[in-house]
Amino acid sequence: MTGKQRKQFWNVIQITLILIAAFIMLIPIIWIFLAAFKTHVDVYQLKLFFTPTLENFGTVFDAPYNLGNKLINSTIVAGVTVLFAIPIATCAAYSFSRFRLRFETSMLVMILATQFVPAVVIILPFFVMFRDLGLLDTRLGLIMVNLAIVMPFAIWMIKGFIDGIPLETEEAAMVDGSTRVQVIRNIVLPMAAPGLFTAGIFCFIIAWNEFLFALILTNKDAVTLPIGLALFKAEEGDLWNLLSAAGIIIMLPMFILALIIRKYFVQGMTMGAVR
Amino acid sequence: MAQVLLKNITKRWGDFVGVDNQSLAVADKEFLVLLGPSGCGKTTTMRMIAGLEEPTSGEIWIGDHVVNDDLPKDRDVAMVFQNYGLYPHMTIYDNIAYPLKVRGTPKADIKPRVEKAAEQVELTEFLHRKPKALSGGQRQRVALARAIVRTPKVFLMDEPLSNLDAKLRVTMRAELKHLSRQLQITTVYVTHDQIEAMTLADRVAVMEKGVIRQLGTPDEIYNDPSNLFVAGFIGSPAMNLINGSVKDGYFITTGGTRLVKVDGGDRAKVILGVRAEDVDIHESGQGDIDVLVYAYENTGESVMLTLQFGKQRIIAKGDRHLRKDMDDVVGLRVNPDHLYLFDSETEERIRY
C-alpha cells in the first residue's frame, strides 16, 4: 500500500467506527422515531418496514391525554424562566466579573453549591412551602422552582463570557464618553450576545426537561410534557406508540435549539479574537 | 487645550504604593512622556488622569478644574490603549464615530469628522470593515483615529506602539510625531521604550517605584542625568557604572586601577558613569591603560567592545570599521569631558 492508500484505509476505518458509535447512541431515538409512526400492534414487532401512520400524533392531543395543555404549560414555564433568568443572571455575572465585591469568592461558591444539593432532599420542604403559599399545581410555582435551578448555571456561564471581554474595551468606551449603563448597553451586551443566547438556550433545555419538581408539585393544571408521558400507562400496558409520539414532540424543540446553538457556540468561542 | 496638573498624587493598594506623593505639571500643548520600567507607576499615573483609577490622595487638575470627582466621560480626554480597546462588534467607521455618537454630536457632523480622522491615519478604505479584518498596525491607527476624531483637552497614550513589530513601530512613531505636531494637543504618553521617549517627547518624566526621578527634556535626561537610576536606565547600551573612589584628582576603581582624571577633591565611595560612546579605543599602549577584549560585537552601524581590566568590565562603542578579536589587547581612554559621578549611598549625582 502506498502512503495515500494507507491514509484512505484509515479514514474508512475511522468513519466506520464513528458511524457504529453514533448508531449505538441513536438506537433509542431511532426506535422511538419508528414507534411513533407505528400502530399499537406493530410496536411490539421489530419491523423496519411498515405502513407509517400519523394517527398517534392526533391521538395524543385528544382527550383523555390532552397533550396540548401540557405543551402550553411547558412552553410557558420554560420560556418565562429564560426570560427572567437571563437578565437577572447577566446583572449578577457582570457585577461578579467587573466589580470587586465583598465575599465575592464565597458568594460565587455558594451560588454553585446550591447545585450540589440533590433535588430529592429539598423537594419535600418545597412541597410544604408551596402548599402553604397556594403555589401547588401552578405555572408560577414551577417558574420559580426552575429559576432557582437555572440561575446558578446561567450566572456562571454568562460570567465566563463577560470575563472574556477585555476590560480595556470597556475603559475605552468610558473615556470615549459613555456612562456605565451606556457601556453595558453599547459594548458589553452586544459583545456578550452569543454567550447570553447560548446560556438562554441551555436554561430553556434544563427547564423544558425538568421532571422531578414538576412531578411532585403539579397534578392537573400545570402538568408539563415530561410528566404528561406518564399518562400513557394504560390498563392494557404501556402505549408505546403514543409515548413515542409524545417523546418526539418533547424532543423536537431540543433538536432545533441544538442546531441554533451550534452556530452561536462557535461565535461565542471566537469572540475574544480581537486584541 | 489645557494643561494637566498633578498635586501630591498618591495611589496605594493596601500596603503597596503605586504612586508616591508626586506632583507634575504638563504644560498646554506639551508632549510629555512618562518613562520607566514596568511597575514604576507610569500607567497608574496616566489612568488617574483618565479617571479610570482614583488617587488615594492628591488633586488632579485638567485645565482650570479639579477633576478628581469627575467620571472619565466628563474629563474630556481621549485615550489610546496598549491593546487598542477597539469595539470588535462595530465597523471601523462606527468605532471611530463612537465618541461622537455617545456625546450626542449631531448626525450631520459625524460623517465628515469620521472621514477626516480616517484620512489623517490613512484608513479611508477600511471604514466598512470590522477590527478583526485589520492588521495590528491598522488597528492601532483605528485607535488613534478614535482619539483624534474629537478635539479633547488631553491625549493619553498608554504604550500605544508596544504591540507592533519593530519595523512598524518605527514608522508609527514617526506618524505619531507628525500627527502630534499637527494637532497641538496636550499629550501624556506612557512607555518603557526610551527611544520612543527620546524621539517623541518635549519633556520626559523618568519614573521608578512610584517616584519621578527626573523631569526634563530628552537632551537633559540623556546628557545630564540627575541620579544613578536615570543614568543607568537611559541609553543603549546602558551607561557604564564603575564603583571606586576619587583620590588625588583621579578616579580609582575598586580593583585599584587609576582610570581617569576627575576634578573636585577626594571622595571615598563613588560610582563613575561613562557612556559607551565616551570610551575611546586605541591601539595597545596608546591609551591610558591597556585592557583585554572580552567580547567583540558588530552591530553594523557601530561595533561594541566589552573590555576587561581586573574584575571590571566596561563597554565601549567604536567605529564600525574597527576589527578586534577576543583577548586582543587594546588601549583605553575615558573621555574626561563627559563623566558623571554618583554618590554610592544616596545614588544622587555629584556635581563638581
Side-chain angles (χ1 to χ4, degrees):
Chain A
M1 273 194 289
T2 65
K4 200 177 169 189
Q5 277 174 324
R6 186 173 310 176
K7 209 172 160 189
Q8 274 174 345
F9 174 73
W10 279 113
N11 268 342
V12 171
I13 299 264
Q14 276 178 6
I15 290 168
T16 317
L17 286 173
I18 290 170
L19 284 178
I20 292 172
F23 180 71
I24 293 171
M25 284 188 279
L26 284 175
I27 280 179
I29 294 173
I30 293 170
W31 190 91
I32 284 183
F33 204 78
L34 292 176
F37 295 95
K38 287 180 181 177
T39 59
H40 185 56
V41 184
D42 279 345
V43 168
Y44 292 99
Q45 297 165 350
L46 267 180
K47 278 202 289 195
L48 275 182
F49 302 99
F50 56 93
T51 341
T53 168
L54 284 173
E55 204 183 310
N56 297 328
F57 289 92
T59 315
V60 294
F61 283 103
D62 290 340
Y65 309 117
N66 291 328
L67 207 63
N69 292 342
K70 282 110 194 159
L71 187 63
I72 292 169
N73 283 340
S74 269
T75 311
I76 289 176
V77 168
V80 175
T81 299
V82 171
L83 238 48
F84 277 93
I86 297 305
I88 299 173
T90 306
C91 294
Y94 184 82
S95 307
F96 276 123
S97 179
R98 290 302 193 230
F99 303 126
R100 285 187 189 169
L101 308 174
R102 229 174 243 250
F103 311 119
E104 184 173 332
T105 322
S106 330
M107 280 199 284
L108 270 173
V109 171
M110 262 158 59
I111 286 174
L112 192 66
T114 58
Q115 300 273 302
F116 300 158
V117 183
V120 192
V121 176
I122 49 170
I123 198 149
L124 211 65
F126 257 102
F127 182 82
V128 176
M129 213 159 60
F130 273 33
R131 190 190 57 200
D132 295 349
L133 291 171
L135 288 172
L136 276 186
D137 203 19
T138 60
R139 289 173 194 154
L140 180 64
L142 271 192
I143 290 169
M144 286 165 65
V145 170
N146 275 311
L147 262 179
I149 294 172
V150 300
M151 278 298 283
F153 174 78
I155 290 173
W156 273 81
M157 190 160 175
I158 294 173
K159 180 178 176 292
F161 279 98
I162 292 179
D163 284 345
I165 299 173
L167 196 59
E168 262 192 5
T169 311
E170 280 184 51
E171 288 178 343
M174 285 203 265
V175 176
D176 278 347
S178 329
T179 59
R180 175 73 70 177
V181 175
Q182 281 171 323
V183 169
I184 294 175
R185 199 181 56 211
N186 299 340
I187 310 296
V188 176
L189 288 184
M191 283 178 77
L196 301 187
F197 205 83
T198 313
I201 288 176
F202 269 108
C203 290
F204 187 89
I205 292 175
I206 293 175
W208 183 263
N209 289 339
E210 201 285 318
F211 179 75
L212 192 60
F213 280 99
L215 178 71
I216 306 292
L217 300 179
T218 65
N219 54 36
K220 195 166 112 267
D221 295 340
V223 170
T224 55
L225 278 177
I227 313 304
L229 287 184
L231 292 173
F232 303 110
K233 251 177 172 5
E235 280 167 21
E236 58 267 43
D238 297 330
L239 303 169
W240 285 111
N241 51 335
L242 297 182
L243 204 57
S244 300
I248 284 178
I249 291 167
I250 293 184
M251 283 190 293
L252 214 58
M254 300 301 102
F255 285 139
I256 295 165
L257 290 178
L259 282 176
I260 300 174
I261 284 188
R262 204 173 52 168
K263 183 181 145 219
Y264 276 90
F265 222 60
V266 177
Q267 260 189 37
M269 285 194 289
T270 52
M271 191 183 65
V274 175
R275 269 174 55 81
Chain B
M1 305 296 142
Q3 61 157 357
V4 176
L5 205 61
L6 305 183
K7 283 187 183 166
N8 303 96
I9 287 293
T10 297
K11 177 67 188 180
R12 241 182 267 118
W13 289 276
D15 286 340
F16 181 79
V17 180
V19 177
D20 190 8
N21 195 24
Q22 295 301 295
S23 297
L24 177 67
V26 188
D28 186 25
K29 294 176 190 168
E30 185 181 25
F31 197 116
L32 181 109
V33 173
L34 294 171
L35 175 68
S38 54
C40 71
K42 55 190 192 301
T43 297
T44 308
T45 306
M46 163 168 290
R47 289 172 60 84
M48 287 192 287
I49 299 173
L52 297 171
E53 211 83 64
E54 220 177 299
T56 312
S57 64
E59 277 181 1
I60 299 169
W61 291 67
I62 295 177
D64 41 15
H65 296 286
V66 180
V67 294
N68 280 43
D69 297 328
D70 288 358
L71 290 172
K73 72 183 182 76
D74 300 324
R75 297 195 181 195
D76 198 10
V77 299
M79 188 158 170
V80 178
F81 290 82
Q82 184 173 2
N83 294 322
Y84 321 139
L86 301 183
Y87 313 130
H89 57 294
M90 298 184 191
T91 61
I92 302 309
Y93 180 94
D94 289 330
N95 263 279
I96 300 173
Y98 187 77
L100 299 175
K101 278 184 191 161
V102 81
R103 285 169 198 272
T105 313
K107 277 228 167 80
D109 281 5
I110 293 180
K111 196 158 187 257
R113 286 171 74 174
V114 171
E115 277 165 1
K116 187 175 168 235
E119 200 184 298
Q120 275 176 303
V121 296
E122 296 167 34
L123 274 174
T124 311
E125 55 195 302
F126 302 108
L127 281 175
H128 59 280
R129 292 206 197 166
K130 293 267 179 79
K132 226 186 317 193
L134 297 191
S135 70
Q138 290 165 337
R139 286 179 199 172
Q140 179 56 61
R141 292 212 290 260
V142 177
L144 266 178
R146 193 174 58 184
I148 63 176
V149 73
R150 292 189 316 120
T151 311
K153 283 187 188 148
V154 184
F155 276 138
L156 303 172
M157 305 197 184
D158 185 7
E159 311 218 13
L161 303 183
S162 64
N163 276 5
L164 303 178
D165 64 59
K167 207 171 161 187
L168 199 56
R169 205 176 305 163
V170 176
T171 330
M172 281 301 293
R173 205 168 66 204
E175 285 185 29
L176 252 181
K177 177 140 195 170
H178 184 80
L179 205 61
S180 80
R181 284 292 133 84
Q182 226 174 19
L183 296 170
Q184 293 280 314
I185 288 177
T186 315
T187 304
V188 179
Y189 185 106
V190 162
T191 183
H192 62 266
D193 183 320
Q194 43 169 308
I195 310 283
E196 276 174 33
M198 297 295 289
T199 51
L200 289 171
D202 292 326
R203 281 192 305 160
V204 182
V206 185
M207 290 189 75
E208 184 207 14
K209 293 177 186 157
V211 175
I212 297 172
R213 302 305 305 268
Q214 188 173 358
L215 176 65
T217 62
D219 194 35
E220 286 165 0
I221 297 280
Y222 190 85
N223 291 317
D224 195 13
S226 66
N227 53 63
L228 193 65
F229 174 79
V230 175
F233 189 74
I234 306 286
S236 173
M239 186 188 276
N240 291 296
L241 297 170
I242 307 163
N243 282 297
S245 55
V246 180
K247 210 174 175 193
D248 304 332
Y250 278 92
F251 176 82
I252 319 283
T253 66
T254 330
T257 313
R258 205 168 77 161
L259 192 61
V260 62
K261 209 168 170 328
V262 172
D263 304 327
D266 291 3
R267 281 188 176 86
K269 278 193 163 177
V270 294
I271 295 170
L272 179 76
V274 193
R275 293 218 181 269
E277 54 264 40
D278 295 325
V279 180
D280 300 334
I281 303 155
H282 300 267
E283 289 307 314
S284 162
Q286 293 176 12
D288 288 344
I289 53 171
D290 276 358
V291 294
L292 273 181
V293 176
Y294 179 80
Y296 168 89
E297 294 158 287
N298 187 348
T299 63
E301 54 168 321
S302 63
V303 298
M304 219 66 83
L305 288 167
T306 308
L307 307 166
Q308 179 155 16
F309 51 100
K311 279 181 181 167
Q312 186 67 52
R313 284 187 199 144
I314 186 167
I315 296 176
K317 205 174 196 174
D319 185 85
R320 66 188 162 111
H321 297 299
L322 186 72
R323 293 290 176 269
K324 292 290 172 197
D325 255 327
M326 240 172 79
D327 295 333
D328 281 357
V329 178
V330 297
L332 175 150
R333 175 180 293 141
V334 175
N335 186 342
D337 300 333
H338 302 288
L339 296 180
Y340 308 94
L341 270 191
F342 301 96
D343 189 308
S344 302
E345 304 290 322
T346 64
E347 304 198 340
E348 288 303 311
R349 173 91 173 270
I350 301 166
R351 298 185 186 268
Y352 53 88

